[in-house]
Amino acid sequence: WAVDCESWEPVGGAGSRGVPHGAEMEFLANLLEPPERENVLRFFQSSDRKLAIVGRLLVRKACSEACGIPFDELQIKRTLGKKPYLANETPEMPCFNFNISHEGGMVVLASE
């Protein structure tokens, strides 16, 4: 999975530290669990905030699609090293592994 965020300008802007501001960023931020949302909104640079929100949503979408878990039932947690992982267990995919990365304006997710 890959998303090019370079040319994406959220409707109403990307906000400022702690505040999503624009309607589009606020809508997207509200799709995240409160701890994820707070983490995303801590970023000072709007470009970092955009990559972070797309990354969090990409993780949720990939896990939902691959494992058949409804988006709003996903449990994404983090290891002590801050690596995200899917906490839901399913018989089909007892251990769904993935990695998320961003560079420049790209956000990429790879999984097994």
Side-chain angles (χ1 to χ4, degrees), residues 40-56:
V40 165
L41 296 178
R42 282 190 188 129
F43 287 99
F44 184 75
Q45 298 292 327
S46 62
S47 57
D48 294 334
R49 210 170 12 268
K50 286 189 333 183
L51 294 174
I53 204 163
V54 168
R56 292 335 189 267

Side-chain angles (χ1 to χ4, degrees), residues 25-45:
M25 284 297 280
E26 186 170 349
F27 172 79
L28 295 172
N30 285 328
L31 294 173
L32 302 173
E33 294 297 316
E36 288 180 299
R37 183 173 38 249
E38 290 166 16
N39 255 337
V40 165
L41 296 178
R42 282 190 188 129
F43 287 99
F44 184 75
Q45 298 292 327

Side-chain angles (χ1 to χ4, degrees), residues 65-77:
E65 291 286 322
C67 300
I69 301 169
F71 192 87
D72 60 345
E73 293 179 19
L74 290 168
Q75 297 174 24
I76 306 296
K77 298 194 177 178

